[in-house]
Amino acid sequence: MTAPNELPVPAGPALSPDVLRLASDAAGLIDKARARNTRRGYLADWVDFRVWCAKHDATPVPADPRVVALYLTDLAQGGAGRRPRKVSTIRRRVAALVHYHRAEGHELDVHDRVLRDTWAGIRRTYGRAPSAKRAAVTEFLRLLVASCPTDTLLGLRDRALLLVGFAGCFRRAELVALDVADCAFNQEGVFLMLNRSKTDQEGSGSEKAVPFGAHQETCPVRALTTWLEAAGITSGPVFRRVTRHGTVLPKRLLSESVALVVKRAVSAAQAEAIEQGNRWLADTLDPARYAGHSLRAGFITSAAAAGVSESDIMRQSGHRRADTLRKYIRHATAFRHNAAAKVGL
């Protein structure tokens, strides 16, 4: 994400080919200082701002902070037929503008009074709590797993993905990044090596232990070995695409695919609930309310409800901050540790 044609080279006389090569390599490393999705999002934000400036005869760089304030207002209100943007999206736009200004040798004055107060007003006026996805707690996870057929490779893959994702408390990117070489099976379960994660951007590596389940139909270790054996996977990515004709492809699933697997299982479980006439369960199993994060949230919520200590949950989840974890725990114990339940009503 360096500026176009920018190379991090020292000032001085003509540089040797070796130094120029190193400068080019360094520019590539600078570009990888942020995650790929962040780089992609920043670039899209920057293009959007430049198009907006061209439309309104404004200079994109260096941008007048008051022009940026008008741009943010337009984003919040959804002008010119565009849908209003969320505050979280606008926050990223600001970060992208700051980044690209610096990349081109300028500083965007985010402390300018008009820009600062406009941004504060947008947060106060349009800000709202994010719509959290539901947690796939243990009793619901059983329904999702039961909805996956055991006589197709797609069903076996989905069962393994749901159970391993839940028991390992994986983030989506961590789950799809697993390779066969990262799996070490033993008599107690399987160790799964994480070569990189959201909280380990430098790739120091860590591992998670996933034990055998108490019930064969929901055992993550058995589901994983069954999938690998049935698909004939002995190396490379663990979770791969499966065509509608049942062909297992060599390419690994994308992070976004985890949400699709969860939603498909929820839809199937919802259809079963409707067929049984269980209206409450059918309404609860709304595919729009579940996503890839539902597995991770479901594990934390279920573990907290079962009385598992914060330290043990954090060991599996990889959380570094207890306060981030506690928002799940508060929800899991909202009724059990509720003062209104203890006053004799």
Side-chain angles (χ1 to χ4, degrees):
M1 288 171 60
T2 52
N5 303 319
E6 177 187 355
L7 291 178
V9 295
L15 301 173
S16 70
D18 283 344
V19 171
L20 289 175
R21 177 185 59 78
L22 289 172
S24 178
D25 292 344
L29 293 173
I30 291 172
D31 200 44
K32 292 180 173 60
R34 290 174 174 83
R36 184 185 65 176
N37 285 344
T38 301
R39 299 196 306 270
R40 185 170 57 190
Y42 274 17
L43 178 58
D45 295 340
W46 182 236
V47 169
D48 184 79
F49 178 64
R50 294 186 73 98
V51 169
W52 186 91
C53 286
K55 181 179 177 181
H56 294 86
D57 296 322
T59 302
V61 58
D64 186 321
R66 290 162 176 77
V67 169
V68 176
L70 295 178
Y71 172 65
L72 300 187
T73 302
D74 194 27
L75 290 174
Q77 294 180 343
R82 300 199 302 179
R83 61 183 176 84
R85 301 295 177 176
K86 296 179 180 179
V87 168
S88 58
T89 300
I90 300 175
R91 180 179 291 108
R92 192 191 68 190
R93 294 283 173 97
V94 174
L97 299 189
V98 169
H99 169 80
Y100 273 101
H101 270 70
R102 288 175 178 170
E104 297 196 17
H106 301 281
E107 282 291 334
L108 176 61
D109 184 8
V110 294
H111 299 295
D112 174 83
R113 184 183 61 79
V114 172
L115 176 55
R116 184 191 64 213
D117 290 351
T118 300
W119 177 220
I122 289 172
R123 297 198 306 272
R124 180 178 291 274
T125 304
Y126 299 100
R128 53 184 176 272
S131 178
K133 296 300 181 182
R134 282 182 175 163
V137 294
T138 304
E139 53 266 36
F140 287 148
L141 181 71
R142 292 194 182 103
L143 297 175
L144 304 191
V145 172
S147 73
C148 301
T150 58
D151 57 351
T152 68
L153 285 171
L154 183 64
L156 293 177
R157 185 207 66 187
D158 288 358
R159 289 170 64 91
L161 185 146
L162 292 170
L163 289 167
V164 172
F166 179 90
C169 197
F170 283 106
R171 297 178 177 88
R172 297 174 306 159
E174 296 170 350
L175 186 58
V176 299
L178 289 173
D179 287 334
V180 174
D182 300 324
C183 307
F185 294 92
N186 59 37
Q187 67 273 17
E188 295 184 90
V190 60
F191 283 107
L192 299 172
M193 173 61 70
L194 297 181
N195 296 306
R196 190 181 299 274
S197 71
K198 181 178 178 180
T199 55
D200 178 26
Q201 293 296 318
E202 285 75 31
S204 301
S206 61
E207 64 179 11
K208 294 190 178 188
V210 175
F212 281 101
H215 308 283
Q216 184 168 343
E217 62 274 14
T218 55
C219 173
V221 182
R222 294 185 182 94
L224 178 58
T225 55
T226 298
W227 154 243
L228 292 175
E229 291 172 2
I233 298 174
T234 57
S235 63
V238 169
F239 295 112
R240 310 180 181 200
R241 290 184 56 196
V242 178
T243 69
R244 60 180 178 175
H245 302 296
T247 302
V248 179
L249 302 180
K251 293 184 65 175
R252 73 177 70 247
L253 289 178
L254 300 175
S255 296
E256 294 81 356
S257 301
V258 178
L260 298 179
V261 171
V262 171
K263 288 179 180 294
R264 179 167 55 240
V266 171
S267 294
Q270 183 186 51
E272 180 67 21
I274 293 174
E275 186 175 331
Q276 295 175 356
N278 191 333
R279 191 70 253 177
W280 173 84
L281 182 57
D283 290 342
T284 302
L285 292 170
D286 177 4
R289 298 298 305 277
Y290 290 84
H293 186 67
S294 296
L295 299 177
R296 180 172 167 83
F299 173 86
I300 296 171
T301 303
S302 299
V308 180
S309 69
E310 283 187 15
S311 59
D312 284 345
I313 296 175
M314 291 177 69
R315 185 177 300 115
Q316 194 74 337
S317 69
H319 277 101
R320 291 188 175 181
R321 293 169 56 97
D323 56 345
T324 305
L325 184 76
R326 285 174 189 146
K327 66 181 180 181
Y328 300 101
I329 296 177
R330 284 195 296 270
H331 184 271
T333 60
F335 292 100
R336 188 173 58 192
H337 295 164
N338 193 308
K342 301 178 182 180
V343 294
L345 292 179

